[in-house]
Amino acid sequence: MARRNLDSYPRPGVTVDLAVLTVTDAGTDDAALRVLVQERTDPDGRVLPGRFLRERHTVVDTVQEVFEHKVGVSPSEVTPPRLLRLFDAPDRDDRTWAISVAHSVSMPEAELEGAKGDLVAVSSDGVLADRGPMLWDHEEIVSAAVESLRERYEFRYRNDSPPPDPDGFLPEPFTLHQLRKVHEAVIGEELHKDNFARRMKPQLTPVMRGGEVVKSAAHRGRPATLYRRVTSPDSQPVNTLG
Amino acid sequence: MARRNLDSYPRPGVTVDLAVLTVTDAGTDDAALRVLVQERTDPDGRVLPGRFLRERHTVVDTVQEVFEHKVGVSPSEVTPPRLLRLFDAPDRDDRTWAISVAHSVSMPEAELEGAKGDLVAVSSDGVLADRGPMLWDHEEIVSAAVESLRERYEFRYRNDSPPPDPDGFLPEPFTLHQLRKVHEAVIGEELHKDNFARRMKPQLTPVMRGGEVVKSAAHRGRPATLYRRVTSPDSQPVNTLG
DNA sequence: ACAATAGTGTCTATCAGACAATATGGC
DNA sequence: GCCATATTGTCTGATAGACACTATTGT
């Protein structure tokens, strides 16, 4: 059998669609998990930012391009994109044969300053809080992204506590109270402050200056100790799941 | 800006590469985790079975085609393929721009009767036991597949015990001893029979016949009770990770 | 009776969850 | 002193891990 040229076979368009996650007001009691949603026309509706994979570009390249052309920000610091799943139904795009490689990206709120689109709150059951529908399968992508994120923030069991804010939503240094509020915003449920402190402390180091422990500026009560992560924020290789 | 036809942009070839996992001698004390490896020429070396995604075919379609054309068996029962990761380095295939979507598939040994290739044992640290090199990045795929599989079989913590043989390597009905040997083969370490039994029993149901519990054929000692899974083997949706 | 395997009872160290007391600041 | 918040001490119920004992068969 003669070998046909590899390039002559029909090939799918490959899109990279992003669930950009952040925690707004991460330092405060109003911390909230949100996802970046954009409006588009033809067809009209709300979508996640995304883009076709261009020649010999990687997923990481394409994520950068999405930020540059669709979101309008140049992130200096991002958690590496995480592969969520593949959408490959042959008829999911009626214009052409296209498969979607859905990823999630976590960013601190400050890096999303001026981004195009809205930061929509995520409800406790993992979907958009304002219940507005999204086009195509994009709502599924949000659910998958939130589920994956929560697994990373959830309190597991005895042997391994969760890393403190593994996706780095909260800038250092921070108090245990602030850290707890971020975790609560992500997983959507309250945590006991004492148990939380006991589990996190082994993974935190107090900020020292001049041989003294640095405390937070006191508003009302006793000032809290400021901490840094002793394990740096998650640095998972690209395209793998945890 | 005029919109260029979507189909006129260059597109990558998309391959589906499979880590086919099985447990040989699943009913016995010699149970062993193995992966299907094939020989190829030009370039010469050992590879995992794989294939280009053809027009408007899905990943699931392509997995079927790999079994038909590359492996030479028609599986009647398979655990759905699991997405492991994406290989997208622009120069990973020097013939053309191609990205690889690596999946793992779990099958009972019986379904691999007459398959082309060798079932190579996996060592306890998750790589091939015979240490022969594989072409390209295929060794990484094996590691990722084994790691993902072990997560599913590993004993987690208090609230959720692992499902009994979630990928269905062991045909029903089985004894607790047989089930334990399969789990030990997968995770590569020994388990206490008493603790194992306690954790598994809530997820198992004894086989009844005529109001009586059916026992295994006794060779030497006391006959063991035969069980079935009360939760059917894992039915995860395609392309998602666990 | 004995060997061999299946199955159960129970002890212990650990720890998550819960509650409460104490420490340290502003006012 | 009083209030608010941070931090630490301690009790308790659950259970994984470990060990040892009992049960049921073939020989």
Side-chain angles (χ1 to χ4, degrees), chain B residues 158 192 194-195 198 219-223:
Chain B
R158 55 186 323 88
H192 284 247
D194 43 9
N195 299 326
R198 252 189 321 195
H219 334 216
R220 201 52 93 89
R222 171 175 171 179

Side-chain angles (χ1 to χ4, degrees), chain A residues 56 59 92 138 200 225 235 240:
Chain A
R56 302 227 177 220
V59 167
R92 56 180 289 282
H138 285 192
M200 282 303 177
T225 308
S235 61
T240 60

Side-chain angles (χ1 to χ4, degrees), chain A residues 93-120:
Chain A
D93 192 324
D94 50 14
R95 299 170 297 177
T96 182
W97 181 31
I99 65 179
S100 168
V101 186
H103 283 74
S104 78
V105 176
S106 297
M107 293 178 65
E109 185 183 13
E111 296 284 335
L112 282 172
E113 201 65 46
K116 292 179 216 159
D118 302 312
L119 292 176
V120 178

Side-chain angles (χ1 to χ4, degrees), chain A residues 19-27 31-36 67 71 73-81 104-115 119 149 152-153 165-174 182 186 229 233-234:
Chain A
V20 179
L21 300 171
T22 195
V23 173
T24 53
D25 302 308
L33 176 62
R34 293 173 188 268
V35 60
L36 183 68
F67 275 105
V71 183
V73 302
S74 318
S76 65
E77 175 202 351
V78 237
T79 282
S104 78
V105 176
S106 297
M107 293 178 65
E109 185 183 13
E111 296 284 335
L112 282 172
E113 201 65 46
L119 292 176
L149 179 71
R152 257 169 290 141
Y153 276 73
D165 185 28
D167 285 29
F169 293 122
L170 184 62
E172 295 181 335
F174 46 75
V182 169
V186 169
R229 302 174 187 86
D234 212 17

Side-chain angles (χ1 to χ4, degrees), chain B residues 6 31 39 45 54 56 63 87-88 142 215 224 230:
Chain B
L6 274 179
E39 290 284 342
R54 296 170 86 90
R56 302 226 176 219
V63 169
F87 291 90
D88 63 350
V142 173
K215 304 279 185 155
V230 67

Side-chain angles (χ1 to χ4, degrees), chain B residues 79-94:
Chain B
T79 281
R82 289 174 176 272
L83 176 61
L84 295 170
R85 52 165 292 192
L86 213 65
F87 291 90
D88 63 350
D91 54 353
R92 54 180 291 282
D93 192 323
D94 52 14

